[in-house]
Amino acid sequence: MQSAAAFRPCPAGPLVSRNPGRPFFPSRPLHVSSAVAAPAAAAAATTRCSAVGTRGLGLGLLPLAPDWEGKGKARQRQVACGAAGKAVAGKADEESGGFAKTLQLGVFFGLWYLFNIYFNIYNKQVLKVFPYPINITEIQFAVGAVVALFMWVTGILKRPKISGAQLVAILPLAIVHTLGNLFTNMSLGKVAVSFTHTIKAMEPFFSVILSAIFLGELPTVWVGLSLLPIVGGVALASLTEASFNWAGFWSAMASNVTFQSRNVLSKKVMVKKEEPLDNINLFSIITVMSFLLLAPVTFFTEGVKLTPTYLQSAGLDATQVLTRSLLAALCFHAYQQVSYMILQRVSPVTHSVGNCVKRVVVIVTSVLFFRTPVSPINSLGTAIALAGVFLYSQLKRLKPKPKTA
């Protein structure tokens, strides 16, 4: 017999129908097939009754009415989760884009250093057997001019709209750019690559001097002090340089003066009313103008000697000299282009630090490639000079605090 305690009816109350116009009929009537199933069914019914009896649903056989408040909260949670998901996805896309830009910048720096290394190696190899730096410089400008014209014609680089006033303003820049590269090649032909770049580490010194004279920009005390290790290191390296000669030394010094004059002139004489030129187009225009400026100088001084006929008459391998001259010219133009591309993406101070690291890389690779004899004192002087350049770059990052009234 079934126990009477197994069935505990819900509290008395009227049956509730979904449709008031129709009598209530449970959709799933309870069937008790045996005495064994009855206690379980009774327990289940009791559980349902206790769960919903307080809502007046009679025997509890109807499903609960929809909980609209709960569904609203669930919908809010779904919207919030969706917004959070979009925010996370957006942050992930931003991080991915940032990583891609960093990777691209790293590739540009690598190409900048690589092209510069090969330019110095090929250039030095040619200048050792062909001591005509004006011819070499003119070939480098000629190749750069052809590359620039090719990019303009094909649309790889947007052709600039340039006025006569802008050409007049750019002419001084082209002159000092021509002289700077010519003096660099003259120095590379006379002394070791490592020594030329050690002397060229004095660029910050001339930058400060020329900016103070022509622009009235006085350096801070700390920037001025950072020039001391640069000058001292170059002096120490010069005294112990095995390949030292005055022609190579003064040519490198003249290169420093002309290149830093170019930077000062670019701030002082550029036309501001015209549409500004981007760095790559400006460099391309300067390259074409430098080729035109140096052509008559080459003809009336050294003459046109970089020809197969002259090279063969001088007992040189014409194919080898011409090939390496062409490769050096291509690397020269390539590293300059990449340098300006980097400058468009980073600050001038970051670019200056990268240039300092590039000089270290070029010095080390040239010493290893050409097996240049370097004494410990010479290495110390070079290291001190380059450390001074790095310190100068970091101090230039610090801006003086404005004076309060």
Side-chain angles (χ1 to χ4, degrees):
M1 265 183 88
Q2 298 178 3
S3 172
F7 291 93
R8 295 181 181 177
C10 296
L15 294 177
V16 180
S17 173
R18 286 182 170 178
N19 191 340
R22 296 176 58 189
F24 171 73
F25 293 98
S27 58
R28 292 185 181 180
L30 180 64
H31 297 280
V32 181
S33 57
S34 63
V36 178
T46 304
T47 304
R48 287 196 298 270
C49 290
S50 62
V52 300
T54 56
R55 296 192 182 186
L57 294 183
L59 297 175
L61 298 179
L62 278 178
L64 289 174
D67 189 353
W68 298 108
E69 182 182 358
K71 286 189 175 182
K73 292 181 179 179
R75 178 60 181 169
Q76 290 177 359
R77 286 195 297 270
Q78 289 177 357
V79 172
C81 290
K86 289 180 180 179
V88 172
K91 186 176 180 181
D93 291 341
E94 183 180 351
E95 291 178 353
S96 177
F99 175 76
K101 290 181 180 179
T102 304
L103 182 62
Q104 184 187 52
L105 189 61
V107 171
F108 282 154
F109 269 96
L111 291 175
W112 186 25
Y113 294 177
L114 189 65
F115 286 138
N116 207 291
I117 290 170
Y118 277 105
F119 162 71
N120 282 278
I121 290 176
Y122 288 134
N123 209 29
K124 181 62 177 178
Q125 288 177 333
V126 173
L127 287 168
K128 284 175 69 175
V129 299
F130 185 78
Y132 296 98
I134 301 179
N135 272 258
I136 295 298
T137 307
E138 177 66 0
I139 286 296
Q140 291 167 1
F141 287 142
V143 171
V146 170
V147 172
L149 292 173
F150 173 78
M151 290 193 298
W152 285 333
V153 170
T154 57
I156 297 175
L157 183 64
K158 185 179 178 181
R159 185 166 50 186
K161 295 179 181 179
I162 187 165
S163 65
Q166 282 180 309
L167 287 176
V168 172
I170 294 173
L171 181 60
L173 301 179
I175 293 173
V176 294
H177 179 77
T178 304
L179 293 173
N181 285 283
L182 176 58
F183 286 134
T184 299
N185 282 335
M186 291 173 65
S187 179
L188 288 172
K190 296 293 184 180
V191 296
V193 174
S194 57
F195 185 53
T196 296
H197 282 277
T198 300
I199 300 173
K200 285 176 70 64
M202 285 191 65
E203 285 181 352
F205 173 81
F206 291 101
S207 176
V208 170
I209 297 297
L210 294 174
S211 295
I213 294 174
F214 294 103
L215 301 178
E217 297 178 356
L218 298 178
T220 63
V221 175
W222 294 109
V223 169
L225 291 176
S226 70
L227 300 177
L228 295 179
I230 298 176
V231 176
V234 170
L236 185 60
S238 301
L239 291 173
T240 56
E241 174 60 38
S243 67
F244 179 87
N245 65 69
W246 287 108
F249 176 82
W250 287 117
S251 296
M253 283 292 188
S255 173
N256 286 334
V257 174
T258 51
F259 276 134
Q260 296 312 308
S261 299
R262 179 188 62 184
N263 295 340
V264 172
L265 286 171
S266 65
K267 297 179 182 179
K268 195 173 182 64
V269 305
M270 284 302 291
V271 178
K272 295 181 174 58
K273 294 182 180 180
E274 304 287 345
E275 182 181 352
L277 295 169
D278 62 88
N279 289 331
I280 297 178
N281 267 320
L282 177 60
F283 168 69
S284 299
I285 293 171
I286 289 175
T287 300
V288 174
M289 295 178 71
S290 295
F291 165 71
L292 297 175
L293 288 170
L294 195 60
V297 177
T298 305
F299 183 79
F300 288 110
T301 54
E302 293 179 349
V304 181
K305 288 185 168 58
L306 197 60
T307 62
T309 303
Y310 180 84
L311 294 174
Q312 289 174 359
S313 65
L316 300 174
D317 188 337
T319 302
Q320 189 178 68
V321 173
L322 290 173
T323 300
R324 292 184 181 181
S325 299
L326 179 61
L327 290 173
L330 288 172
C331 290
F332 168 77
H333 191 76
Y335 93 73
Q336 295 269 17
Q337 288 274 13
V338 175
S339 175
Y340 282 110
M341 292 169 69
I342 292 173
L343 190 57
Q344 288 180 338
R345 290 166 171 79
V346 300
S347 67
V349 175
T350 302
H351 188 273
S352 178
V353 173
N355 191 53
C356 177
V357 175
K358 181 208 70 179
R359 205 172 296 286
V360 174
V361 172
V362 170
I363 289 174
V364 172
T365 53
S366 65
V367 167
L368 295 176
F369 184 86
F370 293 108
R371 298 181 181 178
T372 306
V374 180
S375 66
I377 298 179
N378 183 273
S379 301
L380 178 62
T382 301
I384 291 173
L386 294 174
V389 174
F390 181 78
L391 179 62
Y392 167 84
S393 301
Q394 296 302 307
L395 290 173
K396 288 288 287 183
R397 192 190 300 266
L398 304 176
K399 295 182 180 180
K401 297 181 179 180
K403 296 181 180 180
T404 57

